[in-house]
């Protein structure tokens, strides 16, 4: 049997779990203080829901669960089996699709607007690289039933507050709107069927610069006039919020401006926002505002989200406005480990040693000490000194020996 | 798209999650006070580990994950496909197998004896009946590296303390030993290959009584003399711990006696234990003591566990003694819901209403109130009175309107 965990997944040591639990709890409390309520959903979803969810690239990364019993044998007994026939359920790739289903299933029992927390694991069959886990935790807040950009403002403010508490410094919130992105492509004169490919190229602007974009556009099979017009927008001073006013509907611009202004006002400018016209976000289900948090010194996003006004409608006969913001907890955890976070304010863990004839009495003694300590009762080991070193290494703060009157001795 | 969750799984409403989180936290703190440390493992395990794990009936209930990409297509391109070839990973059916793998993988970084907490979800493709979920949570403690029955005593005492805190009353801990079970079959003269079938029949003693056992033995194809000898053991006054002394090794009896006596001493008899010779527990990996908690008024076990001294050895070249006790959290949750548990000591949740021109100011006002309340900021609704009723229904404790000087009004 294989002692290592499944490829792309991780075992967490006690010390690591302590840090993870501590920080997840801080994030949870921050969200609750802002009036959000936690729900949970199963990690499995019906395959039909996943397949129709507009999850973009993530749909290629779904772990699918094999059918069972009669359902499976009837598939296997046929020739020419299609992959899709073998599976009826998959593991969720994010928390947004399950939430949309959940809202459709439970809306009569929920507040409206529904302000909701999810902190849970999701699954993607990524090619495991540094930091690309196949099982990872997301901390999401969503507001369902509010079409105004007040919802975006609240999500950004609350997420920023949670990030502040994790100790992450020098981050900024990049904001865009899927509708602005589309308007820029339209204005340049690209064909609509190219928008997705163009988005993928444009998304790389920060990495490859305007010259890189130029090359990729030339390599792709796009209309040359459109490519030139597109590039010229940048060369005439870049894409500021003011400059896109002439390209897209003024409403989209005002929307982003209001979000940025309100956040500056409420936080006295401590939360930095930035219009980021090349921000794309992968998921196909986004319909309006999209945002992402970038932290100095770390590549990739710490958090991301956006508005998805049509997704819940796929479960109901009615579109329901919705917007969400998700913290990638694994990235936060990585940063906490690099910074050697110490979990504060815990009862100290000590050992109480006993000899076997005194076990019952030692248990009662340990119980008394539990008012002040976490106490592990351990048979007195033969190599006592060596064992004490091990205790200290393992994060114990001290020990007592049952029957010796000098009580608890703390390691200095 | 389907709004209902996958068959056999559940969505949890905010009020339910509040209760679940609260009680899981109480159990977790009880375990930590007793010197146990929490770990986490992935919900997925390699199929080879699950298949070889001696999980008994549970092995027929494993959710298997379909292979992906090239690995899958190479299977599909052949004729005559076997089910096993389609899957390389499965969802864990309990927390004991992942823990055994975890210990083998990480032992150099762990305390010895290792006292460990797991509180997490497991998966079984059961036929969904009332209370038989396909995704459910277990709260486990295990002690690895202690062969003495002190480990059993500590697990039972700590689990009982956790159960006391959940408010469950009138429960008892039933104890048996797989080796005693085997000795009784041996003594009666049954064939070794029948032991498993016999265990399944004997396990029903509480439900069907001695007459029922007689019938099932007659229906099965067992040696008649052995069946009669087996039944006669009961008819001569039942199977007490004293009476099995003549049937099995005295060591097994003394072991159970010491466990029961010590628990009675330490708890002044408040934790009730009972020798239960017909207790079986399904898993094949148990090697010695097994136990189960039964609560008055509830059928089925609230908690169960036992010693599995050979399981870790399947990952290492060395057998490591281990014993665990698992609380079935869904059963606890069911009882809490029946008893209408109110989660105590939380900040009250209120709403702050605003008109759209004052949004930024209302956000700052809400932030001040968060010293004392959880505050949800909500646009002032048109049907204000009706909305207040909804708020109260949804568990809000009161509200304030930004700009009105009378501050927070609590619902009476």
């Amino acid at each position: 049997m294989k002692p290592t965990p499944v490829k792309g997944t991780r075992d967490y040591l006690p010390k690591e779990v302590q840090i993870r639990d501590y920080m997840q709890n801080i994030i949870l409390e921050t969200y609750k203080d802002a009036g959000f309520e936690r729900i949970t959903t199963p990690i499995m979803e019906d395959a039909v829901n996943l397949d129709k969810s507009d999850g973009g690239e993530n749909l290629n990364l779904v772990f699918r669960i094999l059918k069972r019993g009669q359902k499976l044998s009837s598939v296997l007994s046929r020739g020419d089996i299609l992959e899709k026939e073998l599976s009826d359920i998959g593991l969720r790739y994010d928390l947004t699709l399950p939430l949309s289903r959940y809202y459709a299933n439970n809306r009569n029992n929920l507040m409206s607007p529904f302000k909701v927390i999810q902190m849970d694991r999701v699954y993607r069959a990524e090619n495991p690289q540094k930091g690309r886990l196949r099982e990872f935790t997301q901390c999401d807040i969503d507001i369902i039933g509010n079409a105004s950009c007040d919802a975006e403002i609240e999500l950004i403010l609350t997420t920023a507050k949670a990030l502040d508490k994790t100790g992450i410094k020098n981050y900024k919130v990049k904001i865009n709107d899927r509708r602005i992105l589309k308007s820029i492509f339209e204005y340049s004169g690209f064909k609509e069927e190219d928008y997705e490919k163009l988005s993928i190229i444009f998304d790389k602007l920060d990495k490859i610069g305007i010259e890189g974009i130029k090359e990729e556009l030339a390599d792709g099979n796009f209309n040359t006039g459109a490519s030139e017009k597109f590039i010229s927008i940048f060369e005439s001073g870049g894409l500021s919020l003011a400059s896109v006013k002439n390209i897209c509907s003024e409403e989209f611009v005002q929307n982003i401006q209001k979000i940025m202004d309100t956040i500056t006002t409420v936080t006295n400018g401590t939360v930095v926002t930035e219009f980021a016209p090349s921000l794309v976000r992968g998921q196909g289900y986004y319909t309006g505002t999209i945002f992402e948090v970038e932290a100095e010194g770390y590549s990739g996003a710490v958090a991301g989200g956006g508005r998805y006004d049509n997704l819940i409608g796929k479960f109901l006969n009615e579109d329901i406005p919705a917007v969400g913001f998700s913290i990638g907890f694994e990235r936060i955890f990585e940063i906490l480990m690099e910074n050697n976070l110490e979990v504060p304010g815990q009862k100290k863990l000590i050992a109480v040693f006993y000899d076997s004839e005194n076990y019952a009495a030692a248990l009662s003694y340990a119980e008394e000490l539990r008012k002040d300590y976490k106490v592990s009762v351990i048979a007195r080991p033969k190599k006592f000194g060596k064992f004490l070193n091990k205790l200290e290494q393992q994060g114990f703060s001290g020990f007592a020996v049952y029957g010796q009157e000098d009580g608890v001795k703390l390691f200095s």
Side-chain angles (χ1 to χ4, degrees), chain A:
Chain A
M1 286 164 77
K2 279 182 57 179
T4 48
V6 166
K7 194 172 88 171
T9 68
R10 279 206 50 184
D11 289 336
Y12 292 98
L13 293 170
K15 170 87 184 168
E16 292 172 324
V17 173
Q18 207 182 30
I19 289 172
R20 291 172 72 84
D21 283 353
Y22 168 74
M23 192 49 74
Q24 283 177 18
N25 211 41
I26 284 183
I27 295 172
L28 182 62
E29 289 305 317
T30 306
Y31 289 168
K32 282 186 180 171
D33 273 352
F36 289 75
E37 302 178 285
R38 188 179 185 195
I39 64 157
T40 61
T41 60
I43 65 150
M44 303 189 261
E45 287 289 335
D46 279 312
V48 55
N49 290 348
L50 294 165
D51 291 340
K52 293 185 179 170
S53 66
D54 266 342
E57 186 56 29
N58 291 334
L59 295 189
N60 301 324
L61 305 176
V62 171
F63 283 105
R64 295 180 185 276
I65 291 174
L66 201 57
K67 286 182 181 171
R68 295 151 306 284
Q70 182 49 43
K71 275 191 192 166
L72 178 61
S73 24
S74 92
V75 174
L76 291 184
S77 67
R78 295 198 300 266
D80 235 11
I81 301 164
L82 295 173
E83 185 178 334
K84 294 259 156 159
E85 298 173 314
L86 289 166
S87 167
D88 48 0
I89 300 173
L91 302 190
R92 61 183 174 203
Y93 61 83
D94 75 359
L95 300 173
T96 306
L97 174 72
L99 172 61
S100 301
R101 184 196 54 66
Y102 177 98
Y103 187 79
N105 193 35
N106 299 287
R107 65 187 297 206
N108 292 333
N109 294 311
L110 304 173
M111 262 295 286
S112 176
F114 185 43
K115 299 188 184 177
V116 58
I117 306 166
Q118 294 181 95
M119 297 181 61
D120 231 322
R121 307 194 214 190
V122 301
Y123 297 86
R124 294 181 195 165
E126 307 247 19
N127 217 338
Q129 311 157 3
K130 190 179 184 303
R132 283 273 167 133
L133 289 168
R134 291 180 153 198
E135 176 185 59
F136 56 98
T137 296
Q138 295 188 323
C139 305
D140 285 26
I141 40 176
D142 293 73
I143 298 178
I144 297 177
N146 187 351
S148 123
C149 72
D150 294 356
E152 275 87 339
I153 293 167
E154 205 179 331
L155 289 181
I156 294 171
L157 285 171
T158 309
T159 300
K161 212 185 290 175
L163 290 176
D164 289 343
K165 293 198 175 161
T166 67
I168 289 186
K169 304 232 184 305
N170 301 325
Y171 62 86
K172 68 180 169 202
V173 184
K174 298 163 74 174
I175 306 179
N176 196 10
D177 191 309
R178 275 282 167 89
R179 296 166 302 179
I180 294 181
L181 208 57
K182 203 177 153 200
S183 302
I184 296 175
F185 296 146
E186 230 163 42
Y187 170 87
S188 305
F190 288 112
K191 284 180 289 183
E192 189 158 356
E193 67 254 40
D194 286 336
Y195 289 178
E196 206 181 312
K197 254 197 278 174
L198 287 163
S199 295
I200 294 168
I201 295 175
F202 197 27
D203 198 21
K204 300 184 204 166
L205 179 62
D206 284 353
K207 276 192 203 139
I208 62 178
I210 187 70
E211 289 307 315
I213 299 282
K214 259 189 205 173
E215 274 171 40
E216 295 223 5
L217 287 177
D219 292 349
N221 196 14
F222 304 108
N223 177 304
T224 320
S227 294
E228 279 169 8
K229 192 163 177 189
F230 181 76
I231 294 294
S232 76
I233 306 176
F234 292 90
E235 294 187 331
S236 62
L239 272 174
S240 69
L241 203 46
S243 70
V244 291
K245 234 179 232 165
N246 312 314
I247 294 173
C248 69
S249 152
E250 193 158 333
E251 179 206 338
F252 309 157
V253 173
Q254 281 171 349
N255 201 48
I256 291 193
Q257 194 64 59
K258 185 182 169 193
I259 294 172
M260 293 175 39
D261 289 349
T262 311
I263 288 168
T264 305
T265 306
V266 175
T267 69
N268 283 319
T270 55
V271 174
V272 178
T273 57
E274 176 184 283
F275 171 58
S278 67
L279 179 66
V280 172
R281 305 281 313 149
Q283 280 80 342
Y285 53 62
Y286 288 129
T287 55
T289 337
I290 43 179
F291 26 81
E292 203 168 89
V293 176
E294 206 175 62
E296 209 178 275
Y298 297 95
S299 71
V302 169
R307 187 168 274 281
Y308 52 99
D309 284 346
N310 300 335
L311 190 51
I312 298 172
K314 292 188 175 196
F315 293 97
L316 293 169
N317 283 328
E318 173 192 351
D319 275 348
I320 307 270
V323 54
F325 208 167
S326 173
I327 294 181
F329 184 75
E330 305 309 334
R331 174 52 57 90
I332 303 291
F333 176 63
E334 211 180 281
I335 297 173
L336 297 175
M337 291 304 285
E338 281 177 27
N339 298 342
N340 288 311
L341 175 81
E342 287 291 328
V343 174
Q346 300 243 313
K347 270 200 248 180
K348 288 188 165 79
L349 172 62
I350 62 165
V352 163
F353 295 107
Y354 69 95
D355 297 308
S356 115
E357 65 277 18
N358 298 325
Y359 187 46
L363 285 170
S364 301
Y365 173 59
E367 194 55 24
E368 282 169 41
L369 292 176
R370 286 196 179 114
K371 286 182 209 111
D372 302 312
Y373 300 99
K374 296 188 272 186
V375 183
S376 182
V377 181
I378 301 175
R380 191 207 297 251
K382 291 205 182 89
K383 296 178 178 167
F384 195 65
K386 205 174 157 193
F387 194 85
L388 290 182
N389 292 338
K390 172 112 192 184
L391 271 191
E392 200 172 351
Q393 268 169 36
Q394 284 291 327
F396 281 64
S397 300
F399 68 98
V401 179
Y402 174 73
Q404 287 184 6
E405 300 205 341
D406 46 358
V408 176
K409 285 167 280 266
L410 293 178
F411 302 128
S412 53

